[in-house]
Amino acid sequence: MRPPCRWRQAVRENGFAMVPPVFEQLVGASPEEVTPLVDYGYRAAWKVRTAGATFIVKSDERPDLVTNEVMAVRNAATAGVPVQSFAGFAERPAPAVAFRWVEGAPLHGCEEPEAWRDAGRVLRRIHSAPPLRQRSVPWGEAMEGMFSAELGWMADHGFIEPAEASSAREVAAALRPVMDETPLGWIHGDCQAAHFIVAPGEPRIAAVIDWADEHQGAPEMDFAVFSLFDGETWRPALDGYAATAEFRERLERTLPLYRAIRAAGSLRWLETHGYPGHTWPLECVRALVG
């Protein structure tokens, strides 16, 4: 969704320039190598190597998101979710946090069913953990409102026809009762399979990363994002999750809608952050209306 290999192009085209933090303050040693990973102007990340360890350092102009990610990682660890170890925090020049780097490969693209089953077990722990805060707006209302706004943006900018936006809104309205009745839990919020790191040489999840978007919501939303780009390969995760027949039935009903909601929001982000030309968000919205 956010191709790291294009970060330099995004910086050139959009003039982004996040000021690097003081790495020594965050990792406790002078870095031997610093590799920029992403730079969105307001948020950036670096891979930092020292003589004895490797870290990922993240900085964000929005201090609440940095603090939130630290709290989320600690909450996940308490729930038995494998996560990166916290290494350090700094407030200036912008709020920044460091975590220990976890070696491994992204689950996205993995063809080992047991790795997906283990990811399902991890997802169950996430969704069973207590949320950091309670929702202030009902889930169905929030999702329908968000989707309607993004559909309007897509239509206004010529990505879809107004009739397509209207049809997608009708589908969302019809599924609103299902969303309203869905039991909520703590969700990752950006539950891409690429954020599940598979341990080297083992079909198990070594860490779940990138927690800044966590919130209380429908577990099905996490599954929609989790399954977005891996065809049917992700299905063993439902077995690891110990998904009930009721959950599976609700998931099949809501999966196209939640994927379309994710896709509509992603299109605006991609188009306004230097990654134009993606077609998958349009495909997801059109798949919803047939």
Side-chain angles (χ1 to χ4, degrees), residues 96-148:
V97 63
F99 296 103
R100 291 269 184 169
W101 186 271
V102 175
E103 296 296 337
L107 180 63
H108 170 56
C110 175
E111 297 184 358
E112 174 53 60
E114 184 52 40
W116 289 94
R117 275 190 284 272
D118 193 50
R121 289 188 281 268
V122 170
L123 267 171
R124 170 64 76 176
R125 295 189 196 112
I126 295 171
H127 296 159
S128 299
L132 295 178
R133 61 194 64 81
Q134 298 294 316
R135 292 198 62 82
S136 58
V137 178
W139 173 254
E141 177 183 334
M143 290 300 100
E144 189 178 355
M146 179 192 310
F147 191 38
S148 180

Side-chain angles (χ1 to χ4, degrees), residues 10-36:
V11 171
R12 287 198 301 271
E13 293 177 352
N14 297 281
F16 298 156
M18 191 78 184
V19 178
V22 179
F23 295 115
E24 291 88 344
Q25 180 181 351
L26 286 157
V27 304
S30 180
E32 295 185 345
E33 181 181 358
V34 176
T35 304

